[in-house]
Amino acid sequence: MKPLPLSFFKRPTLAVAKDLIGCRLVRRRGDGTIERHMITETEAYDGHDDLASHASKGRTPRTDIMFGPGGYWYVYLIYGMYWMLNVVTGPKDYPAAVLIRGLEGISGPGRLTKALGISHAQNKKPVSKKSDLWIEGPMKKIPPGMIEKTARIGIDYAGPLWTEKEYRFVLKSSKLG
DNA sequence: GGAGTGATGACA
DNA sequence: GTCATCACTCCA
């Protein structure tokens, strides 16, 4: 299966977040071995008005990558311990990203980066093979009814308007290969 | 329920 | 320079 093209990520953030469910996150290790993990949970962070998004504070050294074109990794450290893996989405100058929150068999955004050995080394790199971290399409098409929409996790600071938005997508069952 | 952990952004 | 905060996880 070929890697998803960068154009896949330049579409609207919510569409990318939903379409990533069922796709496979692919990691090439230092020893050359390749692992594939199905994406089961994502969250969208959409535009500078989204108070849950880092980009709502404006363009800073950290968020600069979010203002670039879609198709690049945005990786940052939270609580001094956990790396969060995001992919920048949308066109250049529109700040948005999708957080990859869960993989099949690995739930939790901090746990998945630890399991795959992802850190700031991947930050700002393209979502392609040359970064040793890329995404391939789904084995089987995921029916729309299999994807659950919910509110995002851990963003109460953003206020009720943004907390209530159903920007989180979860695969209902992992019976699909 | 509560601790651990350090980069980040706001302010001086 | 200081300080509070944080898109989390683990243990009790």
Side-chain angles (χ1 to χ4, degrees), chain A residues 6 38 41 81 100:
Chain A
L6 295 190
M38 184 171 66
E41 184 180 350
M81 280 178 278
I100 299 179

Short mmCIF file of all heavy atoms in Angstrom, two decimals, chain A residues 6 38 41 81 100:
data_model
loop_
_atom_site.label_atom_id
_atom_site.label_comp_id
_atom_site.label_asym_id
_atom_site.label_seq_id
_atom_site.Cartn_x
_atom_site.Cartn_y
_atom_site.Cartn_z
N LEU A 6 0.53 13.90 0.38
CA LEU A 6 0.41 15.10 1.21
C LEU A 6 -0.91 15.81 0.95
O LEU A 6 -1.45 16.47 1.84
CB LEU A 6 1.59 16.04 0.96
CG LEU A 6 2.97 15.49 1.38
CD1 LEU A 6 4.02 16.60 1.31
CD2 LEU A 6 2.93 14.92 2.79
N MET A 38 -3.21 0.15 13.08
CA MET A 38 -4.43 0.82 12.64
C MET A 38 -4.81 1.95 13.58
O MET A 38 -4.80 1.79 14.81
CB MET A 38 -5.58 -0.18 12.53
CG MET A 38 -6.85 0.47 11.97
SD MET A 38 -8.14 -0.73 11.60
CE MET A 38 -8.53 -1.31 13.24
N GLU A 41 -8.49 6.21 16.91
CA GLU A 41 -9.00 7.39 17.62
C GLU A 41 -8.23 8.63 17.20
O GLU A 41 -6.99 8.63 17.20
CB GLU A 41 -8.86 7.17 19.13
CG GLU A 41 -9.45 8.27 19.97
CD GLU A 41 -9.29 8.00 21.47
OE1 GLU A 41 -8.90 6.86 21.83
OE2 GLU A 41 -9.53 8.92 22.25
N MET A 81 6.58 14.63 30.14
CA MET A 81 6.81 13.19 30.01
C MET A 81 6.32 12.56 28.72
O MET A 81 6.86 11.56 28.28
CB MET A 81 6.10 12.45 31.15
CG MET A 81 6.83 12.45 32.45
SD MET A 81 5.88 11.60 33.72
CE MET A 81 4.77 12.92 34.21
N ILE A 100 -3.45 12.22 16.88
CA ILE A 100 -3.66 10.77 16.83
C ILE A 100 -3.67 10.26 18.25
O ILE A 100 -2.64 10.24 18.93
CB ILE A 100 -2.58 10.09 15.96
CG1 ILE A 100 -2.66 10.65 14.54
CG2 ILE A 100 -2.78 8.57 15.98
CD1 ILE A 100 -1.63 10.08 13.60
#
